[in-house]
Amino acid sequence: MSDSPIKTPFVPRYFRSQAYTAAEQLSEEQRAELRERIPRLLQEKDAVLVAHYYTDGEIQRMADQTGGCVSDSLEMARFGAEHTASTVVVAGVRFMGETAKILTPHKRVLMPTLEATCSLDIGCPAEQFAAFCDQHPERTVVVYANTSAQVKARADWVVTSSIAVDVVRHLHESGEKILWATDRYLGEYVQRETGADMLLWQGSCIVHEEFRALELTELRKYYPQAEVLVHPESPGAVIEQADVVGSTTQLLKAAQNSSAPQLIVATDAGIFHKMQQLAPGKELIAAPTAGHSASCRSCAHCPWMAMNGLVNLASALEQGAPEVHVDPQVVAKAQHSLGRMLDFAAQRSAQVLGVGDA
């Protein structure tokens, strides 16, 4: 089953241009000043910076150099929770800040901007999703980490892309039927892998859904020795060509372990910063998102991730805002669904640290 009776909002392309207008136009002198100021502010404010793999390389370097963390959304939140700092600064998109707050409700969580969102979050409004769940009370609700705190609170389970197959297979073997949200391509992949009865919410990532199977086939002819690494939020025809399908962290590990001279990578291009560090001898090639006549053969970069910059990062530290707030009742419910995944992983001796989203 794959069609939900509730239609999710279309995410218009103008969001891309809106977000990219936030990209910084800074001189080298300005960047140098911010590189000095931000570490000082982190120390003064008793704060730690956690950044997602998809943010700009400048932000990732800042997190690494100041004792912070560059990872996926779950490990970002876990790192912030375990760190001694009283303030966690999350460079990513809004659901990541909310996840950090859910796992660390007693700490202050700041973000460079709360305008940085996610098409998966936008495409799954909490009230509509709750109504959809109410229509199917016999189903176990499993939601992807790339959702709002309110959606997580409505779920029975929260999963990351790396553990989704294991959780759904476990539920399927227990005789449970699944209501899945929010990425439909990841849901289809999990459904194929497990054979579970899954009703899929029709959301998608505006970055991953644009990878093109035909153009990927043509690209592979130019690089016959290349391995293809694909995030499971991609269309099924792209996943079929993958040598490795996995979460951001799993793709990074695959790049490290690969013996291929080139890697064709179908996920957000922001991952190339960390991937090149981990696999310095590899040639990294962005999987195509458009045909021959397009002005951009691969435009795989989240526009909202691009809204994180040095200027608004410094401002967040100086102003103590914007701060992420989540209703305590929502936190308690979301902690339950997140905790189920963490407990499941621990019982299976699975490696949860650094398995993630997006």
Side-chain angles (χ1 to χ4, degrees), residues 108 110-113 312-323:
R108 182 172 65 164
L110 303 177
M111 296 192 72
T113 173
N312 54 14
L313 172 56
S315 175
L317 285 163
E318 289 170 339
Q319 304 298 322
E323 183 174 356

Side-chain angles (χ1 to χ4, degrees), residues 16-36:
R16 290 177 179 258
S17 58
Q18 270 190 334
Y20 279 126
T21 60
E24 295 173 311
Q25 302 293 325
L26 299 175
S27 67
E28 185 52 39
E29 291 78 9
Q30 290 172 316
R31 289 184 181 277
E33 190 276 329
L34 286 162
R35 291 185 194 118
E36 291 185 5

Side-chain angles (χ1 to χ4, degrees), residues 32 35 37 45 53 63 76 90 124 144 207 261 263 277 279 294 310:
R35 291 185 194 118
R37 194 194 334 163
K45 305 295 184 180
Y53 292 126
M76 287 164 64
V90 177
C124 192
Y144 192 23
V207 175
L263 301 173
Q277 290 179 337
L310 296 178

Side-chain angles (χ1 to χ4, degrees), residues 75-85 88 100 103-104 106-107:
E75 173 58 7
M76 287 164 64
R78 289 172 62 96
F79 183 93
E82 295 170 0
H83 199 277
T84 58
V88 181
L103 293 185
T104 321
H106 61 285
K107 291 190 178 185

Side-chain angles (χ1 to χ4, degrees), residues 34 40 44 48 87-88 100-101 156 214 248 281 288 308 317 326 352:
L34 286 162
R40 185 173 66 250
E44 290 174 358
V48 63
T87 296
V88 181
K101 190 66 177 178
D156 298 303
L214 177 61
T248 49
N308 292 273
L317 285 163
V326 181
V352 174

Side-chain angles (χ1 to χ4, degrees), residues 2 67 89 102 145 148 310 330:
S2 61
V89 184
I102 290 166
S148 68
L310 296 178
V330 172

Side-chain angles (χ1 to χ4, degrees), residues 64-209:
D64 279 333
Q65 292 168 4
T66 57
C69 168
V70 179
S71 193
D72 56 70
S73 61
L74 179 59
E75 173 58 7
M76 287 164 64
R78 289 172 62 96
F79 183 93
E82 295 170 0
H83 199 277
T84 58
S86 59
T87 296
V88 181
V89 184
V90 177
V93 294
R94 189 170 58 213
F95 81 80
M96 297 176 183
E98 291 180 345
T99 302
K101 190 66 177 178
I102 290 166
L103 293 185
T104 321
H106 61 285
K107 291 190 178 185
R108 182 172 65 164
V109 177
L110 303 177
M111 296 192 72
T113 173
L114 295 182
E115 297 301 312
T117 185
C118 170
S119 58
L120 292 170
D121 189 345
I122 292 174
C124 192
E127 290 186 4
Q128 291 186 34
F129 181 67
F132 185 42
C133 294
D134 290 343
Q135 293 173 14
H136 303 279
E138 76 286 0
R139 290 182 175 268
T140 299
V141 179
V142 181
V143 304
Y144 192 23
N146 299 30
T147 49
S148 68
Q150 290 82 1
V151 168
K152 289 182 176 72
R154 183 61 179 81
D156 298 303
W157 292 76
V158 174
V159 297
T160 62
S161 53
S162 65
I163 204 170
V165 169
D166 290 338
V167 169
V168 171
R169 180 176 288 120
H170 165 73
L171 295 173
H172 174 54
E173 291 173 352
S174 301
E176 298 186 46
K177 297 180 179 180
I178 310 300
L179 188 155
W180 169 273
T182 172
D183 187 83
R184 68 186 180 95
Y185 294 115
L186 176 57
E188 290 168 358
Y189 171 73
V190 171
Q191 192 171 34
R192 288 194 300 272
E193 292 293 306
T194 64
D197 183 339
M198 297 175 65
L199 179 62
L200 307 181
W201 182 269
Q202 296 297 292
S204 59
C205 168
I206 62 171
V207 175
H208 291 93
E209 72 175 348

